[in-house]
Amino acid sequence: MEILPGDLQTYLDNHCDTEPEALQFINRETHLKVLKPNMLSGHYQGRVLSMISKMMQPKRILEIGTFTGYATICLAEGLTEDGIIHTIEVNGEMEEMLNQHFSLTTVEKKIKLHFGAAEHILPTLSTEVFDIVFIDADKKNNLLYFELILDKVRSGGIIIIDNVLWKGKVYGPEKDADTESFRKLNDSITVDTRVEKLILPVRDGILIIRKK
């Protein structure tokens, strides 16, 4: 779902760095072979994630929700030489595709793939301190994931939550459960004094949170 008008989004796509060849392939494969390909971050949002990561130069990244690995690779582009991204995917059937996709890149060895529910995987990462966290998984648990990982993020670290404008429904009249879940998330973080925050109207909205 794109919040911005199509002609503006096309202009933005045409005025950022070119989508790397491996990501072009993953983009095509996702649209050909995977249900709900619109869950893919895509070219422009991918370059946004890559830019944030390169600005932060993180040593440790956590991603909750790998999908087909597009955003994983974008985030990994900014890792330090010895950096690692831990990425958690609940669907074990994605393993073969993900391994293929990661093998196309120069960051394959920096990616640690975990399968299972995030709330079960996170305790196994208890010794890690993260510079960046990207949350893009089952939407009803966004606030839970935020609370679970906040103490694992260093001061000055960044948390990014995807889809927070939820097809524009969060500022409309809709009352369905998913929309209300996003309203609760956005409202809760807005008043959270432990963090600084803003929503960027990138694709379906990304919430950028900086831990104080």
Side-chain angles (χ1 to χ4, degrees):
M1 170 68 183
E2 305 286 353
I3 293 294
L4 301 179
D7 53 352
L8 174 55
Q9 188 60 58
T10 298
Y11 187 85
L12 294 173
D13 290 345
N14 292 337
H15 289 81
C16 65
D17 284 334
T18 304
E19 187 178 34
E21 187 174 339
L23 291 176
Q24 291 179 34
F25 174 82
I26 293 167
N27 199 332
R28 288 194 300 271
E29 286 287 287
T30 301
H31 281 83
L32 284 171
K33 298 180 178 180
V34 181
L35 292 173
K36 298 183 180 180
N38 59 304
M39 291 169 58
L40 188 87
S41 288
H43 177 199
Y44 183 73
Q45 182 171 320
R47 292 305 88 201
V48 171
L49 296 175
S50 175
M51 180 71 79
I52 291 172
S53 185
K54 288 172 180 175
M55 291 170 68
M56 293 288 291
Q57 296 186 307
K59 187 172 182 178
R60 289 292 183 272
I61 301 175
L62 171 66
E63 178 184 43
I64 302 177
T66 317
F67 193 43
T68 58
Y70 191 103
T72 317
I73 295 163
C74 295
L75 289 164
E77 290 174 4
L79 283 165
T80 59
E81 188 68 27
D82 59 345
I84 294 292
I85 178 168
H86 291 277
T87 182
I88 302 171
E89 172 55 43
V90 72
N91 184 2
E93 294 181 0
M94 299 295 291
E95 184 171 11
E96 182 178 354
M97 175 178 279
L98 284 167
N99 287 333
Q100 178 199 11
H101 289 173
F102 295 151
S103 72
L104 301 172
T105 74
T106 60
V107 296
E108 178 184 15
K109 294 182 179 178
K110 296 183 177 184
I111 299 171
K112 301 293 184 185
L113 183 56
H114 307 265
F115 286 102
E119 57 266 36
H120 299 151
I121 301 295
L122 289 173
T124 71
L125 304 175
S126 59
T127 61
E128 297 282 17
V129 177
F130 295 104
D131 304 291
I132 298 175
V133 176
F134 182 47
I135 301 174
D136 188 17
D138 53 318
K139 308 310 178 185
K140 67 181 183 297
N141 284 319
N142 277 337
L143 192 55
L144 170 65
Y145 296 145
F146 170 76
E147 293 293 350
L148 287 174
I149 58 88
L150 186 59
D151 286 344
K152 300 177 185 294
V153 177
R154 68 166 174 84
S155 178
I158 298 293
I159 302 166
I160 305 167
I161 306 179
D162 201 11
N163 302 112
V164 296
L165 293 179
W166 199 234
K167 308 167 189 173
K169 292 182 179 181
V170 291
Y171 50 87
E174 287 83 0
K175 298 292 184 181
D176 61 275
D178 286 337
T179 301
E180 292 290 4
S181 175
F182 272 105
R183 287 188 182 122
K184 180 180 179 181
L185 170 76
N186 295 340
D187 291 346
S188 296
I189 292 177
T190 295
V191 298
D192 193 323
T193 57
R194 299 171 295 177
V195 296
E196 300 168 321
K197 74 292 292 184
L198 59 83
I199 295 174
L200 297 180
V202 173
R203 205 162 161 268
D204 197 19
I206 56 174
L207 177 54
I208 308 291
I209 303 161
R210 179 181 180 273
K211 183 176 178 180
K212 293 181 179 178

